[in-house]
Amino acid sequence: MKSSVPDRTYNPHAIEPKWQKRWAETLLYRTPEPDGRPTFYCLDFFPYPSGAGLSVGHCRNYIPTDVISRYHRMQGKAVLHPMGWDAFGLPAENEAIDKGIHPRDSTRRYAANYRRQMDLIGASYDWEKEISSSHPAYYRWTQWMFLLMYERGLAYQALAPVNWCESCKTTLANEEVENGLCWRCHHPVTPRHLKQWFLRITAYADELLSETYHLDWPEHILTMQRNWIGRSEGVGFELRMADGTDAGIRVFTTRPDTTYGMTFAVLAPEHAMVDKITTPEQRAEVDEYAAQARYIPEIERANAERERDGVFTGAFAINPVNGQRIPVFVADYVLPSYGTGAIMAVPAHDQRDYEFAHAYGLPVVEVIRPGDTAWNEDCAYEGDGVMVNSGCFDGQHSHEAWQNIADMMEREGYGFRRVQYRMHDWLISRQRYWGTPIPMVYCDHCGTVPVSVEDLPVLLPHVPDYLPRGDGSSPLANLAEFVHATCPKCNGPARRETDTMGGFACSSWYFLRFPDREYTEGPFNPKALRRWLPVDLYVGGAEHAVMHLLYARFWTKVLADSGMVDFREPFPRLRSQGILHASDGKRMSKSRGNVVTPDEVVERYGADILRIYLLFMAPFERNVYWDEDGIVGAERFLHRVWRLCQSADKDATGRVPAGPADASLQRMTHKTIERVTGDIEAFKFNTAVAALMEYTNALSEHRSQHGASPAFQAAIGTMIRLLAPFAPHMAEELWMQLGGSYSVHQEAWPSHDPALTVEETVTLVIQVNGKVRDRISVPAEIGDDEAERMAMESKQVQRYLHGARPKKTIVIPGRLVNLVL
């Protein structure tokens, strides 16, 4: 029967708004009650609602998770695919300062725009689950969990340095310091010590590290976490000063076997001992060097390619293993945040120390020899070997000496074995306005007292002036009505904490709130958690590998130890998209003026074409460049699908194939189902789209040769369902045109028969004496004897046999026959 649908041109601008409106009105993507069905929780990284809105780069995250969510719904699963806003914190506050808009207003405005853009690209979020971290109903529970950590001894106060800009009279986050200068006024930044709140994440360092070996995450992100945690086993010991004073320098080494080769020591410029040990003659030079080092970012100081420089303090220490007098230097390649901020320098066996020693003419003493070969004195030898110049340990292997020298240090009382971590406790205090108030008060009689749970949330007041104060404290310190409080213990007068929590506190548990945002008895609904958690799939960029992802893992483990959740890892499976650079090769940025928004692309091409292009342009994890010329291929593909479907009969579902040509297309259909299904599961969206393109070509060829055969009609229905997660608007429209019921996104995902995906024939390569002489098509299940017979009968092969029988035949089943003469 001829289709009753007129042959129309594909018009995404008419189709897409219509279906977006219908989906919203019918709550198509509302999260269902599982009711015994399998569940699938698909989650995107919690986005900051700041800036002008989404770029097409953001869509490389949101479109693939939409494909995955739609696919699992069609698989018959109950799917939770929520979205919300990481509205508190530095990005939102800086945007508000830059634009002169109160952050309360800017975050609402930007969140509304993000939501509009996500709907524009056809993202199937359940907006009934939407949450914002700046809403009191949410941050009440952030405060509650801070108190939980305080009760468990995991939240504490300590003095810590902050970045201080004297010009702006404010503290700065590390991200706001550029080459030692304030990002806003370019005035030099100096350190200032303030009493601040920390969370004791180091208490979970071993578990955070060990579990990285059991997570299904990209290896580069796991490596970043392992390096950030930085677990090291070694020996800590004290270097006494040569002048006999009580001062000493604590150092830590993972190579006690090299201690006899220590010829100098180095302190970080920020080390507390620098001021104590520097001699009057060296004071001016050391002070000048230390002041300059403060303006160099740690990442630059740690660069292995950077030239080593430093200043002699004028002081000497004693190497405890051999009594040698060694000079003490200050150098910026030693970081205050790593280890003790002081190192024993062994130039023969550490390349950084080797370069420093050669620059300053310091001794280089070999203590580990690489076996029988001589040491190459052009660089440090950092491997293992035989001990030399090491007293009674000479001749021992360095592994044995490691233990023996550590034993000696412990026995003689100046050293001890220890495990050290590069990671430090989480500094959660911010001297800023836009954040969750820390629920603590200070009473002259009772000291530091937590706010009563019944009095939560401690509301963030609305203030017209949210800029930081000139003395480094939060703008909240200006509000007498906020600062003045009542002590929960003695009911006397108290002062409220005016620091707020950093934004990472809010994003460390939001995934637990999504299943039931209306729950009021606790931060999350335990029943809903048992249904949905842990998250089945978490997707986002690698820029949060060692901050948010580490903090969320830590937060979850604390809740597990508190008996509140029954899992210890929140995100067993993580996938990270590559960066989409602008066409100029640089990362998209408003300041560079190279941002491409989904709005402009959708206006020109439509959302489905944008989706297909972003999915097809490269593997999900690869960095790519935006090239609008490439979108033409996606446009041609969808127009071809549209024209092909216009040629199908109405109600083109459920037809039974008949005849050889139909059977061949049926096999192609089942192979395509298998490929697309496997590629979606494996996050290979580009090859899934390629399979759909090949399938479209096969359908077009079949249609031109055999007309609207039964196999063609059945295949069109399958094609639309396979296309639905990728181009949801077009699929919905085509499904309706061909008589399907609303909605194609509630249809069952096509299944395939494995028997129909097996190749019927294979190409057999025929060799004579190892050289290819022919290729023939043979049945896929051909036996070795039959393969040899067909090879021998090949006219091409007979030219090289000259009537002789081969002495030996080598058969690789289904692939090759080699006739050896």
PDB file of all heavy atoms in Angstrom, residues 21 57 108 222-223 328 356 393 395 401 505 507 567 616 705:
ATOM      1  N   LYS A  21       7.522  20.344  23.239  1.00  0.00           N
ATOM      2  CA  LYS A  21       6.322  20.777  23.966  1.00  0.00           C
ATOM      3  C   LYS A  21       5.489  19.575  24.393  1.00  0.00           C
ATOM      4  O   LYS A  21       5.030  19.488  25.546  1.00  0.00           O
ATOM      5  CB  LYS A  21       5.497  21.705  23.079  1.00  0.00           C
ATOM      6  CG  LYS A  21       4.257  22.315  23.732  1.00  0.00           C
ATOM      7  CD  LYS A  21       3.640  23.358  22.793  1.00  0.00           C
ATOM      8  CE  LYS A  21       2.456  24.052  23.454  1.00  0.00           C
ATOM      9  NZ  LYS A  21       1.290  23.169  23.598  1.00  0.00           N
ATOM     10  N   GLY A  57      30.629  22.667  23.320  1.00  0.00           N
ATOM     11  CA  GLY A  57      31.532  21.791  24.060  1.00  0.00           C
ATOM     12  C   GLY A  57      30.837  21.093  25.207  1.00  0.00           C
ATOM     13  O   GLY A  57      31.086  19.912  25.479  1.00  0.00           O
ATOM     14  N   ARG A 108      20.038  32.213  39.471  1.00  0.00           N
ATOM     15  CA  ARG A 108      18.685  31.861  39.021  1.00  0.00           C
ATOM     16  C   ARG A 108      18.548  32.100  37.515  1.00  0.00           C
ATOM     17  O   ARG A 108      17.995  31.276  36.776  1.00  0.00           O
ATOM     18  CB  ARG A 108      17.643  32.709  39.768  1.00  0.00           C
ATOM     19  CG  ARG A 108      17.392  32.277  41.199  1.00  0.00           C
ATOM     20  CD  ARG A 108      16.065  32.832  41.684  1.00  0.00           C
ATOM     21  NE  ARG A 108      15.946  32.703  43.131  1.00  0.00           N
ATOM     22  CZ  ARG A 108      15.903  33.714  43.982  1.00  0.00           C
ATOM     23  NH1 ARG A 108      15.965  34.954  43.522  1.00  0.00           N
ATOM     24  NH2 ARG A 108      15.784  33.516  45.274  1.00  0.00           N
ATOM     25  N   LEU A 222      42.172   7.825  37.157  1.00  0.00           N
ATOM     26  CA  LEU A 222      42.620   7.044  38.308  1.00  0.00           C
ATOM     27  C   LEU A 222      44.084   7.370  38.642  1.00  0.00           C
ATOM     28  O   LEU A 222      44.444   7.499  39.820  1.00  0.00           O
ATOM     29  CB  LEU A 222      42.469   5.553  38.015  1.00  0.00           C
ATOM     30  CG  LEU A 222      41.026   5.046  37.875  1.00  0.00           C
ATOM     31  CD1 LEU A 222      41.023   3.601  37.391  1.00  0.00           C
ATOM     32  CD2 LEU A 222      40.269   5.170  39.189  1.00  0.00           C
ATOM     33  N   THR A 223      44.889   7.519  37.620  1.00  0.00           N
ATOM     34  CA  THR A 223      46.294   7.865  37.854  1.00  0.00           C
ATOM     35  C   THR A 223      46.418   9.227  38.515  1.00  0.00           C
ATOM     36  O   THR A 223      47.240   9.412  39.427  1.00  0.00           O
ATOM     37  CB  THR A 223      47.069   7.852  36.518  1.00  0.00           C
ATOM     38  OG1 THR A 223      47.006   6.531  35.966  1.00  0.00           O
ATOM     39  CG2 THR A 223      48.521   8.243  36.722  1.00  0.00           C
ATOM     40  N   VAL A 328      72.953  24.043  54.346  1.00  0.00           N
ATOM     41  CA  VAL A 328      71.495  24.096  54.215  1.00  0.00           C
ATOM     42  C   VAL A 328      71.129  25.257  53.293  1.00  0.00           C
ATOM     43  O   VAL A 328      71.534  26.403  53.529  1.00  0.00           O
ATOM     44  CB  VAL A 328      70.801  24.277  55.577  1.00  0.00           C
ATOM     45  CG1 VAL A 328      69.279  24.302  55.397  1.00  0.00           C
ATOM     46  CG2 VAL A 328      71.208  23.151  56.525  1.00  0.00           C
ATOM     47  N   PHE A 356      71.030  20.874  40.959  1.00  0.00           N
ATOM     48  CA  PHE A 356      71.304  21.935  41.928  1.00  0.00           C
ATOM     49  C   PHE A 356      72.778  21.875  42.368  1.00  0.00           C
ATOM     50  O   PHE A 356      73.455  22.906  42.462  1.00  0.00           O
ATOM     51  CB  PHE A 356      70.374  21.781  43.137  1.00  0.00           C
ATOM     52  CG  PHE A 356      70.370  22.959  44.062  1.00  0.00           C
ATOM     53  CD1 PHE A 356      69.468  23.993  43.895  1.00  0.00           C
ATOM     54  CD2 PHE A 356      71.281  23.044  45.111  1.00  0.00           C
ATOM     55  CE1 PHE A 356      69.463  25.083  44.750  1.00  0.00           C
ATOM     56  CE2 PHE A 356      71.286  24.127  45.971  1.00  0.00           C
ATOM     57  CZ  PHE A 356      70.374  25.159  45.791  1.00  0.00           C
ATOM     58  N   PHE A 393      77.405  -0.848  55.450  1.00  0.00           N
ATOM     59  CA  PHE A 393      76.396  -1.359  54.528  1.00  0.00           C
ATOM     60  C   PHE A 393      76.966  -1.591  53.130  1.00  0.00           C
ATOM     61  O   PHE A 393      76.239  -2.039  52.235  1.00  0.00           O
ATOM     62  CB  PHE A 393      75.208  -0.384  54.460  1.00  0.00           C
ATOM     63  CG  PHE A 393      74.567  -0.126  55.795  1.00  0.00           C
ATOM     64  CD1 PHE A 393      74.850   1.037  56.498  1.00  0.00           C
ATOM     65  CD2 PHE A 393      73.727  -1.061  56.374  1.00  0.00           C
ATOM     66  CE1 PHE A 393      74.280   1.265  57.741  1.00  0.00           C
ATOM     67  CE2 PHE A 393      73.158  -0.838  57.619  1.00  0.00           C
ATOM     68  CZ  PHE A 393      73.438   0.324  58.309  1.00  0.00           C
ATOM     69  N   GLY A 395      78.429  -3.187  49.935  1.00  0.00           N
ATOM     70  CA  GLY A 395      78.300  -4.536  49.401  1.00  0.00           C
ATOM     71  C   GLY A 395      76.894  -5.090  49.472  1.00  0.00           C
ATOM     72  O   GLY A 395      76.580  -6.057  48.788  1.00  0.00           O
ATOM     73  N   ALA A 401      69.725  -2.850  52.128  1.00  0.00           N
ATOM     74  CA  ALA A 401      70.223  -1.701  52.884  1.00  0.00           C
ATOM     75  C   ALA A 401      69.091  -0.770  53.297  1.00  0.00           C
ATOM     76  O   ALA A 401      69.165  -0.133  54.350  1.00  0.00           O
ATOM     77  CB  ALA A 401      71.259  -0.955  52.052  1.00  0.00           C
ATOM     78  N   ALA A 505      31.767  21.320  48.856  1.00  0.00           N
ATOM     79  CA  ALA A 505      30.948  20.674  49.889  1.00  0.00           C
ATOM     80  C   ALA A 505      29.570  20.327  49.328  1.00  0.00           C
ATOM     81  O   ALA A 505      29.034  19.244  49.569  1.00  0.00           O
ATOM     82  CB  ALA A 505      30.821  21.588  51.105  1.00  0.00           C
ATOM     83  N   SER A 507      28.676  19.793  46.206  1.00  0.00           N
ATOM     84  CA  SER A 507      28.674  18.783  45.150  1.00  0.00           C
ATOM     85  C   SER A 507      29.179  17.434  45.627  1.00  0.00           C
ATOM     86  O   SER A 507      29.255  16.496  44.840  1.00  0.00           O
ATOM     87  CB  SER A 507      29.531  19.267  43.973  1.00  0.00           C
ATOM     88  OG  SER A 507      30.872  19.477  44.365  1.00  0.00           O
ATOM     89  N   PHE A 567      26.879   1.518  50.770  1.00  0.00           N
ATOM     90  CA  PHE A 567      27.922   1.376  49.763  1.00  0.00           C
ATOM     91  C   PHE A 567      29.020   2.385  50.097  1.00  0.00           C
ATOM     92  O   PHE A 567      28.784   3.369  50.793  1.00  0.00           O
ATOM     93  CB  PHE A 567      27.370   1.634  48.351  1.00  0.00           C
ATOM     94  CG  PHE A 567      26.619   2.936  48.215  1.00  0.00           C
ATOM     95  CD1 PHE A 567      27.271   4.109  47.855  1.00  0.00           C
ATOM     96  CD2 PHE A 567      25.247   3.001  48.472  1.00  0.00           C
ATOM     97  CE1 PHE A 567      26.591   5.306  47.742  1.00  0.00           C
ATOM     98  CE2 PHE A 567      24.559   4.191  48.368  1.00  0.00           C
ATOM     99  CZ  PHE A 567      25.226   5.352  48.000  1.00  0.00           C
ATOM    100  N   PHE A 616      29.153  11.798  16.097  1.00  0.00           N
ATOM    101  CA  PHE A 616      29.871  11.118  15.025  1.00  0.00           C
ATOM    102  C   PHE A 616      31.282  11.657  14.818  1.00  0.00           C
ATOM    103  O   PHE A 616      32.154  10.964  14.296  1.00  0.00           O
ATOM    104  CB  PHE A 616      29.069  11.268  13.720  1.00  0.00           C
ATOM    105  CG  PHE A 616      29.689  10.590  12.527  1.00  0.00           C
ATOM    106  CD1 PHE A 616      29.866   9.215  12.519  1.00  0.00           C
ATOM    107  CD2 PHE A 616      30.097  11.318  11.422  1.00  0.00           C
ATOM    108  CE1 PHE A 616      30.436   8.573  11.421  1.00  0.00           C
ATOM    109  CE2 PHE A 616      30.666  10.692  10.322  1.00  0.00           C
ATOM    110  CZ  PHE A 616      30.834   9.314  10.325  1.00  0.00           C
ATOM    111  N   GLN A 705      16.152  -1.519  -5.636  1.00  0.00           N
ATOM    112  CA  GLN A 705      16.182  -2.773  -6.406  1.00  0.00           C
ATOM    113  C   GLN A 705      14.924  -3.610  -6.241  1.00  0.00           C
ATOM    114  O   GLN A 705      14.511  -4.290  -7.166  1.00  0.00           O
ATOM    115  CB  GLN A 705      17.403  -3.598  -5.985  1.00  0.00           C
ATOM    116  CG  GLN A 705      18.733  -2.959  -6.356  1.00  0.00           C
ATOM    117  CD  GLN A 705      19.916  -3.803  -5.933  1.00  0.00           C
ATOM    118  OE1 GLN A 705      19.745  -4.913  -5.423  1.00  0.00           O
ATOM    119  NE2 GLN A 705      21.125  -3.287  -6.124  1.00  0.00           N
TER     120      GLN A 705
END
